[in-house]
Amino acid sequence: MPNIKSAIKRVKVNEKANAANAQAKSAMRTTVKKAEQAIATGAENTQELVVAASKALDKAASKGLIHKNAASRKKSRLAKKA
């Protein structure tokens, strides 16, 4: 544990950010998985789920959770499957 006050604060801030990022990334993955499952089963709301997944990928890319090219690649593959 750091002794310097600013370093202590950085540790706290980093822990908070790490938790928020992990939660956002997990939510993004869940949304993508739901869309993929809907495509595989041929559900009625497939298009809605694909749009939601695409939005989640864009949001994750804008926050820096994943690279923008990775988001683009995942969106393209999802659209191709649909």
Side-chain angles (χ1 to χ4, degrees), residues 28-82:
M28 183 240 351
R29 285 192 197 117
T30 302
T31 309
V32 171
K33 279 183 188 175
K34 282 183 182 177
E36 287 175 344
Q37 286 175 346
I39 292 166
T41 58
E44 292 177 18
N45 61 344
T46 301
Q47 196 58 37
E48 294 170 18
L49 292 172
V50 169
V51 169
S54 179
K55 188 176 176 182
L57 286 164
D58 282 336
K59 197 168 188 180
S62 71
K63 289 183 174 184
L65 297 176
I66 59 173
H67 195 274
K68 67 179 182 125
N69 290 356
S72 180
R73 182 179 66 243
K74 288 174 191 282
K75 283 170 50 180
S76 176
R77 287 178 182 173
L78 204 60
K80 193 175 178 182
K81 285 180 189 176

